Amino acid sequence: MEAVAFWVLAVAAVGTGVTVFAVDSMARATFALLASFLCVGAELLLVGLHYLGVLVILMMIMEMLVMAVFMVMYMMNPAGLMPMSMLHNRRGAFGISGAVFAALAAGIFAIPWPERAGRPPRDPTFALGESIMGPKMLVMMVIGIAILATMIASVVLATHRGRYDRDA
């Protein structure tokens, strides 16, 4: 059952990734990209990488929603919903993407893949954090909270009315 779910999510991730270039607006492309990332996050959950899966899902939801909000606010094309083409320089893009795909596919078969040495770590999340951040993990956690507090404070300070000024 997990194998079927994995392949369904893989096909959905690629399909929605292709949809990014098939839709005719930036807003629709943003949500198609979000769907692709959600499929990838679900695949990470399926293969047992729970921390990374949840991280990808939460980060991509927030990132794509912020991107959609900024498109609505700042694009000359309101909300990015008026028809437009997402493809520019089709021949060049197809040539480059075909060459990159061929190189990556050739690399799969040309590179000798290493055998597993040892056993998986007892706590993969801790091992991943330690390998990425090393002894700076606590510092990064504190910085993350500080950045969140800064974002909340900037939104609060940007509003000219207070909580009780709705009726005024």
Side-chain angles (χ1 to χ4, degrees):
M1 185 63 179
E2 286 184 13
V4 171
F6 180 86
W7 286 106
V8 167
L9 286 168
V11 169
V14 171
T16 53
V18 169
T19 303
V20 169
F21 299 99
V23 295
D24 61 354
S25 78
M26 292 295 289
R28 290 183 185 104
T30 299
F31 290 113
L33 188 58
L34 172 61
S36 180
F37 279 126
L38 290 178
C39 291
V40 171
E43 284 194 340
L44 289 170
L45 292 174
L46 274 177
V47 298
L49 298 172
H50 303 290
Y51 176 74
L52 283 179
V54 171
L55 189 69
V56 166
I57 290 169
L58 292 178
M59 280 179 48
M60 289 303 121
I61 287 173
M62 291 310 297
E63 182 179 336
M64 294 300 146
L65 290 180
V66 166
M67 189 164 77
V69 167
F70 274 85
M71 275 192 268
V72 169
M73 289 191 312
Y74 294 120
M75 285 185 70
M76 290 184 293
N77 179 358
L81 294 175
M82 295 175 69
M84 63 178 285
S85 174
M86 295 294 293
L87 299 174
H88 309 286
N89 187 12
R90 282 186 163 195
R91 277 194 213 130
F94 282 134
I96 292 169
S97 62
V100 168
F101 177 79
L104 291 174
I108 290 172
F109 298 109
I111 295 173
W113 292 91
E115 297 292 324
R116 176 183 286 255
R119 295 180 175 207
R122 202 178 78 218
D123 185 3
T125 304
F126 178 79
L128 176 67
E130 187 66 31
S131 67
I132 292 175
M133 299 305 301
K136 308 287 190 269
M137 191 64 176
L138 181 61
V139 173
M140 290 307 293
M141 290 170 65
V142 171
I143 288 173
I145 292 170
I147 290 172
L148 176 63
T150 303
M151 289 172 18
I152 292 170
S154 64
V155 169
V156 168
L157 292 174
T159 59
H160 68 284
R161 297 185 331 176
R163 177 176 166 185
Y164 301 104
D165 292 339
R166 282 188 217 132
D167 298 328

